[in-house]
Amino acid sequence: MNLMLMGLPGAGKGTQAEKIVDKYHVIHISTGDMFREAMANKTAVGLKAKSFIDQGELVPDEVTNQIVQERLAQSDVNEAGYMLDGFPRNLAQAEALDQINASLNKKLDAVIDIDVDPKLLVERLSGRFICRKCGATYHKLYNPPKVKDTCDRCGSHDFYQREDDQPKTVKNRLDVNIKMNTPLIDYYQKAGVLKRVDGAQEIDQVFAQIDAFLSEIN
């Protein structure tokens, strides 16, 4: 079974990826993992990618596509199937993935999109705050201090929020991802492989919905 996992930051992709791997034993392949492996193995395309990364540049699509092809051709993937995470990121890469699958006699069975309202994601991602005195981390929704405005660990009342966790920064990050994901969602919907899951549910309910989809194609 060959899968692709999609979802905005904070949608719970990491948690659901672990559950999918535990049950279906597919090989979880993230973009970062592929790059690290290709560079560690010093493959020709891995060294090419490293030359861009070392200069702080984005790796071109053609190099990324080559690394994906190398990884999907490996024996563990042939035996167990794959779950891509972080690739493709644009339509050109999606079309390249179709060609890679065809060349390897594989097909993409399902694209799982964990769908969560961006407003809810802003709440999830911007709720974290930190005690300035001892560094203890809290979340206003999921892990607030036992006593309001008082650190459980050291009793301080001085908290701050990192720039990355502030609502405006989080919203901008989500907007970028929505713009990137929308054409891919349309592409895979037209291909008939898109499975949308309500990511606002409890973790086990989200997985139950994913499991129902995957049970049909496994």
Side-chain angles (χ1 to χ4, degrees):
M1 181 164 58
N2 301 317
L3 310 171
M4 177 186 156
L5 198 57
M6 292 184 68
L8 294 172
K13 275 198 311 174
T15 300
Q16 296 304 325
E18 288 179 8
K19 288 181 169 292
I20 292 167
V21 170
D22 283 346
K23 178 156 186 181
Y24 291 95
H25 308 295
V26 290
I27 307 298
H28 183 194
I29 303 171
S30 73
T31 308
D33 290 342
M34 281 187 288
F35 281 124
R36 282 188 289 274
E37 185 173 332
M39 290 188 289
N41 293 336
K42 297 185 177 179
T43 66
V45 69
L47 293 172
K48 194 183 293 186
K50 188 174 186 298
S51 69
F52 289 99
I53 291 169
D54 286 349
Q55 294 176 55
E57 298 177 12
L58 290 174
V59 179
D61 281 355
E62 62 192 50
V63 178
T64 302
N65 296 342
Q66 284 180 282
I67 285 179
V68 172
Q69 182 152 9
E70 272 189 0
R71 183 66 186 93
L72 297 191
Q74 291 178 17
S75 59
D76 60 340
V77 173
N78 288 331
E79 291 170 12
Y82 64 72
M83 178 171 59
L84 286 170
D85 182 356
F87 180 92
R89 287 189 175 275
N90 55 49
L91 286 179
Q93 289 184 353
E95 290 165 355
L97 178 59
D98 288 344
Q99 294 171 359
I100 291 166
N101 277 325
S103 72
L104 297 173
N105 200 27
K106 301 180 190 294
K107 70 181 178 71
L108 187 60
D109 295 301
V111 175
I112 305 294
D113 177 38
I114 303 174
D115 186 33
V116 184
D117 186 325
K119 290 179 183 175
L120 176 58
L121 292 177
V122 171
E123 287 184 4
R124 283 186 185 177
L125 294 169
S126 66
R128 184 165 62 174
F129 58 98
I130 302 167
C131 174
R132 197 179 297 276
K133 184 175 179 182
C134 73
T137 301
Y138 299 93
H139 192 285
K140 66 181 181 182
L141 296 178
Y142 309 119
N143 182 35
K146 292 183 177 68
V147 177
K148 188 179 179 182
D149 300 329
T150 304
C151 178
D152 297 345
R153 187 189 294 173
C154 72
S156 172
H157 306 292
D158 188 6
F159 297 97
Y160 74 99
Q161 191 170 46
R162 296 188 323 177
E163 182 67 32
D164 284 354
D165 295 329
Q166 292 181 10
K168 185 178 178 182
T169 307
V170 168
K171 187 177 183 305
N172 288 341
R173 184 175 159 212
L174 290 172
D175 287 345
V176 167
N177 277 269
I178 290 168
K179 187 176 180 181
M180 182 172 67
N181 285 354
T182 299
L184 290 173
I185 288 169
D186 292 343
Y187 183 83
Y188 287 116
Q189 197 153 28
K190 286 175 185 172
V193 293
L194 185 72
K195 308 292 185 185
R196 302 200 84 164
V197 176
D198 179 6
Q201 305 173 92
E202 294 295 322
I203 289 170
D204 288 343
Q205 292 175 311
V206 175
F207 181 67
Q209 198 175 347
I210 293 172
D211 192 26
F213 287 138
L214 299 186
S215 297
E216 293 176 4
I217 61 176
N218 190 32

